[in-house]
């Protein structure tokens, strides 16, 4: 693959594998990897604690700043599941190639039980409700959609790279 002329932003629901796929994709493309949630945690501590103390609105405003900063870099960027809720973020992502990691949800029960996610208190029911609400937003910002339902990471990566070659 040729030079990365725009950042690549990974969007999708919580637990779909944006961070894992993003790290491997960045490594294989020879560019930096940025995780907007990790940047937030480094500066503000655990997202669930910030949510509890300051609310979702305060988190989303800061998330806009972390995304804007990340988009200035030649990088693969992993985002939080709710990044698409902000119209500011939707507009900002137009400067990048956005890859939506979609899923049918069959493997999500196990994945989401392993994290402390502030909007997923009731497990798979909350996850499904959020995904159903956000799915049209993921689809609207995406340049490329990759269904990674039950696929090995290697397959997801090769599908993303092939789509990037065809997209650019």
């Amino acid at each position: 693959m040729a030079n990365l002329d725009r950042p690549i932003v990974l969007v999708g629901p919580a637990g779909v594998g944006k961070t894992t796929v993003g790290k491997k994709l960045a490594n294989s493309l020879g560019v930096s990897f940025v995780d907007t949630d990790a940047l937030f945690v480094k500066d503000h501590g655990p997202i669930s604690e910030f949510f509890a103390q300051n609310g979702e609105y305060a988190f989303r405003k800061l998330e806009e700043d972390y995304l804007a900063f990340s988009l200035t870099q030649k990088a693969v960027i992993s985002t939080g599941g709710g990044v698409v809720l902000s119209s500011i973020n939707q507009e900002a992502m137009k400067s990048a190639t956005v890859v939506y990691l979609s899923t049918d949800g069959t493997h999500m029960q196990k994945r989401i039980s392993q994290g402390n996610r502030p909007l997923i208190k009731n497990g798979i029911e909350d996850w499904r409700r959020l995904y159903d609400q956000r799915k049209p937003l993921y689809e609207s910002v995406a340049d490329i959609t990759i269904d990674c339902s039950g696929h090995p990471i290697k397959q997801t990566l090769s599908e993303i790279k092939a789509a990037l070659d065809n997209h650019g």
Side-chain angles (χ1 to χ4, degrees):
M1 183 167 171
N3 280 345
L4 188 67
D5 57 347
R6 297 160 44 119
I8 297 169
V9 177
L10 302 180
V11 299
V16 79
K18 297 179 298 287
T19 298
T20 304
V21 169
K23 285 177 183 173
K24 291 183 180 299
L25 181 62
N27 189 45
S28 71
L29 297 175
V31 297
S32 301
F33 170 72
V34 179
D35 182 326
T36 59
D37 281 353
L39 292 175
F40 182 94
V41 168
K42 190 173 110 230
D43 291 346
H44 301 282
I47 293 171
S48 57
E49 288 178 21
F50 186 91
F51 252 72
Q53 292 169 0
N54 303 286
E56 183 176 0
Y57 179 79
F59 172 76
R60 297 288 174 214
K61 294 312 284 177
L62 288 167
E63 184 177 52
E64 290 171 354
D65 296 338
Y66 287 106
L67 179 64
F69 166 76
S70 300
L71 287 168
T72 65
Q73 301 178 57
K74 187 175 178 175
V76 173
I77 303 163
S78 170
T79 62
V83 75
V84 294
L85 297 172
S86 161
S87 58
I88 290 170
N89 288 342
Q90 292 169 23
E91 188 62 32
M93 285 188 279
K94 290 180 180 176
S95 69
T97 301
V98 180
V99 179
Y100 162 37
L101 298 181
S102 72
T103 179
D104 62 12
T106 54
H107 295 85
M108 298 312 299
Q109 177 80 41
K110 183 175 165 219
R111 287 186 181 181
I112 62 170
S113 66
Q114 297 168 348
N116 186 0
R117 302 173 194 271
L119 295 178
I120 304 177
K121 300 276 187 239
N122 299 312
I124 197 68
E125 298 83 18
D126 284 352
W127 180 89
R128 177 73 57 200
R129 179 182 44 77
L130 286 173
Y131 188 35
D132 289 346
Q133 289 171 354
R134 296 171 179 176
K135 191 173 184 181
L137 296 172
Y138 296 137
E139 291 169 345
S140 73
V141 300
D143 297 301
I144 296 167
T145 299
I146 302 293
D147 181 356
C148 52
S149 304
H151 296 176
I153 287 178
K154 197 173 202 172
Q155 180 181 344
T156 299
L157 285 171
S158 48
E159 288 179 17
I160 292 171
K161 290 204 270 193
L164 289 169
D165 285 341
N166 293 331
H167 182 74

